[in-house]
Amino acid sequence: MENFSKWFHNILKKADIIDSRYPIKGMAIWRPYGFKIRNHTLELLRKLLNRDHEEMLFPLLIPQEQLIKESIHVKGFEDEVYWITQGGQNDLNEKLALRPTSETAIYPMYSLWIRTHMDLPLKYYQIVNTFRYETKHTRPLIRAREITTFKEAHTAHATKKESDKQVQDFIKMYKEFFNHLAIPFLISKRPSWDKFPGADYTIAFDTIMPDGKTLQIGTIHNLGTTFSKTFNIQFEDKDSQHKYVHQTCAGLSDRVIAAMIAINGDDKGLKLPTTTAPYQITIIPIIFKNKKNDILNKCIEIKKTLENEGLRVNIDDRDIRAGKKFYDWELKGTPLKLELGPNDLEKQVIIAMRRDNLEKIELPLDETLTHTIKEYIDKYDDNIAENAWNFLENHVKFTANKDNIAQLIEQGNVVAFNWCGDEKCGRELEEKTGYNILGISQTLDSQSEITCIKHNKPAKYIAYIAKTY
Ligand code: P5A
């Protein structure tokens, strides 16, 4: 993959995932194959969230007065908001914003819904489209102006302690989610100047894309009582006192799908994890005239058997060369292909080929087939995840010398370094190098004698710096 950006655009188009020729910048169309991948991703996400959250759905529009009420929050978003000012021929009395995120839509309602400690914790989420007038270079899925798949969870708690615990629970959930998708990640606490507008602190998940740039693939914010004070979300506690709730929110977007595609792809195309592959197995009949029906019937029988075991299977019976079918399903990233021709049928075998190592193996067509295939795709999943993690781990390099930062990053790495944690020092480091501090990955022992990469002050943390999307 020499030119990642070109590869990525090509694959979205050729594998029928996204068509970005829609005549509005930053807005694109999900094509049917991509839509299936998106559906499976959402299924997984809902399953994890529904363990302790409930899904809801808010309107797309937010009245101006509500959007601007939380001053820090609006400052962070004011340059990115799309406004609706007219209804038909009439100017609206109040401008309406297309939600860039929904805190200011949701929290006035939370103020009506939350009355006593018995209403807490409250854990709701929605999966919606949001709009951000991004001024940086837009890219499908990665930086869109319409984020089509925006998962936002919004929780309210009685105490700070519980809200901190919720942040940890989200971290656990995201780990599980990204593991299902074969996406390796770095977790860090964003520096104060890069946290979500209105948050006390932000924990972010980043991954390293094939070009060495990091992509923020998910964020979790502890909002403290900033929004509950602005929107008056209070509850009556056990001691009959009225108190402000402590809030968190957590977001994911289409970027997750971009990362899954980018990290697990190669020059032949996609390598989808079986969790999200529209078809986990593609059967390719090798058709010769006189045996056509026998072969097709056997393929249908195999398909049914595998489907009964809960696997997603398709048969590519298009009237084209088998070679072209192989090419297409390698491009589209089906984890396992099964090929059945007249000779195989005679020998009572089928040829299996894993997408990751492209190894061809003959499997007996008997009652062991389903079991063997399941083992195969498990190994496939393990292998692509292992490769993805190896890539990430090999591209995080520690240095104690600030003069090495640029070279390491330009070689495609994220750089870990000892840091004092001071804002002034961090900002200077960013300015001097032209890269971004992702955040703090680890707190150092207070007894340690380690010094900050920039000066002689004691280092408190290990932090990451990188070239970011
Ligand atoms: C958390 C959910 C929020 O908006 N409010 C509700 C909080 N956080 S965030 O960090 O600003 O966004 C959440 C995640 O959305 C992704 N993202 C984008 N994806 C595609 N195109 C964009 N323009 C875009 N902007 C943000 C990021 O992954 C981010 O972590």
Side-chain angles (χ1 to χ4, degrees):
M1 205 184 289
E2 224 164 77
N3 180 339
F4 166 67
S5 187
K6 204 168 141 200
W7 178 91
F8 187 66
H9 278 85
N10 248 327
I11 199 78
L12 292 183
K13 188 169 154 204
K14 282 166 91 183
D16 259 339
I17 295 168
I18 292 280
D19 195 329
S20 45
R21 290 173 297 178
Y22 195 73
I24 302 180
K25 185 176 149 73
M27 302 194 187
I29 299 126
W30 280 100
R31 299 263 304 137
Y33 192 74
F35 197 77
K36 288 188 182 75
I37 298 173
R38 178 179 181 269
N39 270 349
H40 291 301
T41 309
L42 288 178
E43 239 170 72
L44 269 174
L45 183 59
R46 285 200 165 92
K47 205 166 147 191
L48 294 177
L49 276 163
N50 289 345
R51 286 175 185 167
D52 66 342
H53 280 66
E54 287 179 282
E55 189 167 2
M56 58 169 183
L57 183 59
F58 264 73
L60 164 66
L61 302 181
I62 307 176
Q64 179 177 28
E65 193 195 344
Q66 235 168 269
L67 186 91
I68 63 175
K69 205 164 173 185
E70 210 318 291
S71 57
I72 310 170
H73 182 69
V74 72
K75 253 190 129 153
F77 279 103
E78 61 193 353
D79 293 337
E80 292 185 14
V81 179
Y82 281 93
W83 290 103
I84 293 187
T85 56
Q86 268 186 299
Q89 305 295 326
N90 303 324
D91 288 338
L92 299 181
N93 290 335
E94 185 177 18
K95 288 205 288 185
L96 301 172
L98 297 188
R99 59 182 163 220
T101 169
S102 307
E103 283 73 11
T104 59
I106 294 174
Y107 298 164
M109 299 309 294
Y110 275 16
S111 138
L112 302 175
W113 296 340
I114 296 170
R115 289 270 148 263
T116 79
H117 61 91
M118 290 193 302
D119 299 322
L120 301 173
L122 182 141
K123 303 184 189 187
Y124 292 164
Y125 75 95
Q126 62 176 2
I127 301 175
V128 294
N129 55 349
T130 55
F131 293 82
R132 294 185 182 181
Y133 183 73
E134 295 277 1
T135 45
K136 274 197 190 171
H137 182 65
T138 59
R139 288 168 204 273
L141 303 180
I142 291 177
R143 178 167 283 106
R145 287 185 169 174
E146 179 183 13
I147 310 173
T148 66
T149 318
F150 190 74
K151 184 283 293 176
E152 46 180 329
H154 295 272
T155 73
H157 308 265
T159 62
K160 169 167 165 47
K161 198 170 155 204
E162 284 174 49
S163 68
D164 286 331
K165 162 85 170 41
Q166 182 60 47
V167 169
Q168 294 306 316
D169 288 350
F170 275 132
I171 293 176
K172 265 193 229 148
M173 198 204 89
Y174 278 13
K175 282 184 180 173
E176 212 178 330
F177 180 58
F178 290 126
N179 284 338
H180 281 309
L181 303 180
I183 301 174
F185 46 80
L186 299 169
I187 302 174
S188 65
K189 185 172 178 180
R190 285 278 184 264
S192 53
W193 61 93
D194 194 25
K195 62 188 186 186
F196 182 67
D200 280 2
Y201 64 90
T202 290
I203 305 290
F205 280 64
D206 296 278
T207 194
I208 308 178
M209 297 294 261
D211 58 0
K213 286 204 243 172
T214 61
L215 182 68
Q216 173 181 296
I217 46 171
T219 39
I220 303 159
H221 316 287
N222 191 315
L223 304 174
T225 53
T226 305
F227 288 88
S228 63
K229 284 180 179 150
T230 305
F231 292 103
N232 195 28
I233 317 176
Q234 293 193 46
F235 68 102
E236 191 180 331
D237 209 348
K238 287 176 196 146
D239 56 11
S240 300
Q241 299 282 311
H242 287 264
K243 296 173 186 169
Y244 289 109
V245 295
H246 292 258
Q247 293 179 272
T248 82
C249 66
L252 297 169
S253 80
D254 309 75
R255 280 189 186 178
V256 165
I257 297 171
M260 175 174 66
I261 286 172
I263 289 164
N264 299 300
D266 62 17
D267 286 336
K268 287 184 183 292
L270 304 175
K271 264 183 265 160
L272 294 170
T274 58
T275 47
T276 61
Y279 311 108
Q280 297 158 326
I281 295 153
T282 291
I283 305 177
I284 298 175
I286 312 290
I287 295 170
F288 284 86
K289 280 202 179 87
N290 56 344
K291 289 272 188 225
K292 183 173 174 182
N293 283 344
D294 292 352
I295 302 251
L296 278 179
N297 287 339
K298 190 68 190 174
C299 289
I300 292 168
E301 186 191 316
I302 297 168
K303 178 173 188 272
K304 277 193 187 141
T305 313
L306 296 172
E307 280 176 343
N308 283 341
E309 292 290 317
L311 295 164
R312 296 192 290 270
V313 189
N314 69 332
I315 300 175
D316 186 349
D317 57 4
R318 289 177 297 169
D319 192 12
I320 55 171
R321 279 185 307 112
K324 168 76 173 128
K325 296 183 189 181
F326 279 101
Y327 174 88
D328 284 352
W329 294 107
E330 268 154 32
L331 178 78
K332 288 195 168 185
T334 295
L336 192 73
K337 292 190 290 298
L338 295 176
E339 168 193 339
L340 186 73
N343 290 341
D344 308 318
L345 190 58
E346 210 154 281
K347 276 170 66 187
Q348 282 295 297
V349 294
I350 194 161
I351 313 298
M353 194 202 235
R354 260 165 59 174
R355 172 64 181 86
D356 53 341
N357 54 21
L358 300 175
E359 236 172 52
K360 279 192 172 194
I361 300 216
E362 219 179 69
L363 304 177
L365 265 179
D366 58 21
E367 69 291 343
T368 61
L369 187 69
T370 315
H371 180 75
T372 319
I373 283 179
K374 278 192 163 174
E375 267 183 7
Y376 253 60
I377 60 177
D378 279 351
K379 278 192 199 139
Y380 164 89
D381 276 333
D382 290 348
N383 188 41
I384 61 165
E386 195 183 318
N387 285 338
W389 273 103
N390 282 342
F391 175 83
L392 181 120
E393 279 159 8
N394 289 334
H395 287 88
V396 179
K397 300 268 158 59
F398 180 87
T399 183
N401 179 352
K402 63 178 185 306
D403 298 332
N404 289 342
I405 291 177
Q407 195 191 4
L408 286 168
I409 292 181
E410 290 311 319
Q411 286 166 352
N413 300 297
V414 168
V415 172
F417 64 99
N418 297 320
W419 186 37
C420 61
D422 290 346
E423 174 160 350
K424 187 166 167 280
C425 164
R427 282 184 184 270
E428 270 177 25
L429 192 64
E430 286 190 333
E431 256 163 51
K432 285 229 168 89
T433 58
Y435 305 118
N436 289 108
I437 295 184
L438 295 182
I440 292 163
S441 77
Q442 199 185 317
T443 304
L444 293 169
D445 184 348
S446 59
Q447 308 299 317
S448 84
E449 313 242 301
I450 299 170
T451 55
C452 175
I453 194 165
K454 212 165 158 290
H455 43 214
N456 267 334
K457 280 193 202 162
K460 291 189 193 147
Y461 311 105
I462 295 182
Y464 297 128
I465 185 163
K467 205 186 237 186
T468 58
Y469 264 97

